[in-house]
Amino acid sequence: KKDIANGAKLPDTLVENMKTFPKDAHPMAVVQAGVALLGFYDPDAKDNTNLDAARRKATRLVGQITTLCAAWARIREGKDPVAPREDLTLAENFVYMLTGEGPDETASKAVNTYLVLLAEHGMNASTFTSRVVTATLSDMHSAIAAAVGAHGRVVDGGPGAVGRAPAGAPGAGAGRRGGLDPDPAGRLSSAAAAALRGGRGGAPAGPSPGPSG
């Protein structure tokens, strides 16, 4: 918790760059570009073979991507981003950075449920893509940026995915195509969303980690 929070702050130059992005840019495109840009600033970016360096990069990225999503949700509405706090969990920080207010318990629990479902999810298209890029001994930021791009907006098959591929659209067969069969994770994420709507319900909608948003 402490390591993630300590590494979650975005470089100031990246935040300034984000303010120049088109406000109608797709949130996932912003996340993809942001992750790639973070590779410029990571102190371990050039070390692609050391396991300890990989752990440090992964830990930083967990926090930074959360900050990136919350920051874009505010920037595209003309608001200043809110920096993460070191005393909060990942889910609490996300809610705090979205609203600029003390983290609401109901909202934080809903976000945490969704994050757990994401972590538990197995081999979908984005996971497969990141493994392919990693297997070339490329850097972690490139692998994660590619994975975000492979999320496909519709058919990646993440938890709670509801999209369907357009009729006749090609598919590589990696992962479960979203919306084609019942998804237990989708029921859990829907229940968390319902709890959020029934609670404070005042948190603005940030960039969705996947097609379920």
Side-chain angles (χ1 to χ4, degrees):
K1 171 186 170 181
K2 184 177 180 181
D3 289 342
I4 291 174
N6 286 342
K9 188 177 184 298
L10 299 177
D12 292 338
T13 49
L14 175 55
V15 174
E16 292 306 310
N17 279 334
M18 290 174 64
K19 291 179 180 179
T20 70
F21 293 173
K23 297 301 185 290
D24 60 349
H26 194 290
M28 293 301 287
V30 173
V31 173
Q32 184 181 21
V35 170
L37 289 170
L38 282 169
F40 293 152
Y41 305 100
D42 194 289
D44 292 309
K46 295 181 179 179
D47 190 346
N48 299 318
T49 58
N50 184 279
L51 185 58
D52 288 335
R55 290 194 181 104
R56 290 193 296 270
K57 284 186 283 191
T59 300
R60 280 191 288 268
L61 274 170
V62 168
Q64 288 174 326
I65 291 174
T66 304
T67 305
L68 185 69
C69 291
W72 180 245
R74 293 181 66 86
I75 289 172
R76 67 180 180 175
E77 294 181 353
K79 301 175 183 178
D80 288 327
V82 175
R85 283 168 41 182
E86 296 182 3
D87 61 318
L88 300 179
T89 67
L90 188 66
E92 289 171 341
N93 248 328
F94 184 63
V95 175
Y96 166 67
M97 290 186 291
L98 276 177
T99 64
E101 303 174 3
D104 174 73
E105 183 178 359
T106 299
S108 297
K109 285 183 177 180
V111 171
N112 188 67
T113 296
Y114 190 73
L115 292 175
V116 170
L117 293 174
L118 289 176
E120 258 191 352
H121 198 65
M123 180 64 74
N124 52 16
S126 51
T127 306
F128 177 79
T129 300
S130 67
R131 290 187 176 209
V132 171
V133 176
T134 301
T136 68
L137 300 185
S138 184
D139 63 284
M140 184 179 294
H141 290 79
S142 294
I144 300 302
V148 175
H151 232 293
R153 319 285 199 269
V154 176
V155 296
D156 177 68
V162 295
R164 289 182 182 272
R176 178 188 59 74
R177 293 170 75 86
L180 297 187
D181 41 20
D183 179 14
R187 290 194 292 271
L188 290 171
S189 61
S190 295
L196 178 56
R197 289 192 297 270
R200 186 167 89 177
S208 166
S212 60

